[in-house]
Amino acid sequence: MNNNKITLKIDGMDINAEKGSTILETALSNDIYIPNLCYYPGLKPWGSCRLCVVENDEGRLVTACETTVQDGMNITTENSRINRVRKLSAELLIANHEVDCLTCRKNNNCKLQEVAAYLGINRNDLGSLRRQIMDIPMDDSNPFFDRDLKKCILCGICVRTCSELMAVNAVDFGFRGYQTKITTFGDKPLLDSNCVSCGECMVACPVGALVPKETIKPAREVKTVCPYCGVGCNIYLGVRGDQIISVRGDTENSINKGHLCVKGRFGYEFINHPDRLKKPLIKRNNEFEEVEWDEALDFVAQKLSQYHGDEFASISSARCPNEDNYAVQKFTRVVMGTNNVDNCARSCHAPSVAGLAKIFGSGAMSNSIDEIKDASCLFVIGTNPTSSYPVLGLRIIEAVKNGATLIVADPRNIELCKHADIVLNQIPGTDVALIMGMMKIIVDEDLLDQEFINERSENFENFKKSLQPYDIRTVESITGVGKDLIMEAARTYASIKPASIYTPLELLNIHMGLKMYLHSEISHF
């Protein structure tokens, strides 16, 4: 029996639900529509639109997005009383909304439009209401999407998305009364704010207040993986004819859960750029000429046949699929008869692969990205995840919001420093000394996992000897970080489990000692 499951009735139907879920979440997951505007998956309940009211066993109207399910409860989602309240709430929203649906870029994808149709609202219903539409110019400063506050319904989804999911806090409610609007700090255009252009607010916006610059509807979608970094976000490319016109995140994927950064969501226009080559080029008389593929392949084959063995070398790409790289090395070895095959990953990732393989048996992360949120302590050193791997950075911030302790070691005050409990601004190039000093403190104060060391490690005594030159005062003078702060960071990391390390490839090997001898259980990259 699943103790996390309960049973309730919704409109007379027996429904199984997860403990802790809300009535609205339960209804929507069982294909029972309850009108809503301020609800968005992953955000805390808000209850501001009042459209999701339902009737409970006691006959009281409660907001479905804020009320958690209880075993045996009986919920009514539809009757004249409920619809009267919903209709009035919706009419008040529409009355102050710019009603130009046919020319709105959100037409047929607008939740306010959906609610109005469901409740049967027409223009005659709005006649008795005083209309007040603020004359606010459109903010088109952002290069990727426009903000039209005349269409804003003040649901707060963009504010909460920017704060709760992204931790950027670029927008908030401003002014008061009839003048209330969503604004940036100083009421400046988005481009002049700290907005990172991720587009999460645009995706979440239920109306036409936030829309992409281009809103052409795709004819089909192709599922693929974002190529920009190593996180591996799953995406759907919107295709129309032979053009890619949109990108959306895969909400079912456990890595990115629908989230994307600015590069993944908007960085596709180069694909359709007119300067891209459409045919192979062969240089003749010092000028390139377009040729057909058969001619180009014959030309390359003829040229390559003039080289043998070690006269030839191939360089492949880390951006290519495994199958393509396999084909390149097979061609190099079997056809050209040489082992001179290289890849950009050799210079940056090979040392970390070797170090990880030697210490853990595998040259990869020891845990999944989805497990980051379960860490109780996170040590980030020498890397800027929110900039280089924004979606992974979100998982780190999520862990902090779940109560995890964050230690950041970086010469710069990176974005994660705002969320950190301890910040170590070491002098550039002194990461090794900092780590060795932290490990010496942990060893000297016996904060390590001795049982794990005895069972799983080798040459520990040699490792201890290697720490002797790194007394705290020496490390302080090398790194420029105060000794008290170094000691606090070492003790904090050693005393909280499960803990995790996040580091760039070039620093990985030395950090593995810290992870190995503490048996710190969660992930690194």
Side-chain angles (χ1 to χ4, degrees), residues 215-221 237-241 243 245-246 248:
T215 51
I216 304 171
K217 292 187 180 297
R220 58 191 176 93
E221 287 189 322
L237 299 177
V239 181
R240 188 160 173 168
Q243 302 281 298
I245 60 172
S246 64
R248 69 176 179 90

Side-chain angles (χ1 to χ4, degrees), residues 236-309:
Y236 285 94
L237 299 177
V239 181
R240 188 160 173 168
D242 62 352
Q243 302 281 298
I244 293 174
I245 60 172
S246 64
V247 176
R248 69 176 179 90
D250 179 9
T251 56
E252 302 298 320
N253 183 259
S254 62
I255 293 174
N256 59 310
K257 302 178 181 178
H259 303 312
L260 294 174
C261 69
V262 60
K263 293 178 288 185
R265 193 181 305 282
F266 299 113
Y268 60 86
E269 290 189 359
F270 71 94
I271 299 171
N272 307 320
H273 199 280
D275 289 346
R276 290 198 72 188
L277 297 180
K278 295 182 179 179
K279 289 185 176 182
L281 303 178
I282 293 179
K283 182 176 280 188
R284 293 174 177 144
N285 299 321
N286 290 324
E287 290 187 4
F288 282 110
E289 297 179 9
E290 281 192 354
V291 297
E292 298 301 325
W293 275 102
D294 287 343
E295 182 180 353
L297 292 173
D298 289 342
F299 179 82
V300 172
Q302 188 272 327
K303 287 290 185 181
L304 290 181
S305 66
Q306 301 174 16
Y307 301 93
H308 304 282

Side-chain angles (χ1 to χ4, degrees), residues 18 51 58 71 151 247 327 361 383 444:
E18 292 282 343
L51 290 170
E58 302 169 356
D71 194 35
K151 294 184 173 69
V247 176
T383 184
D444 290 349

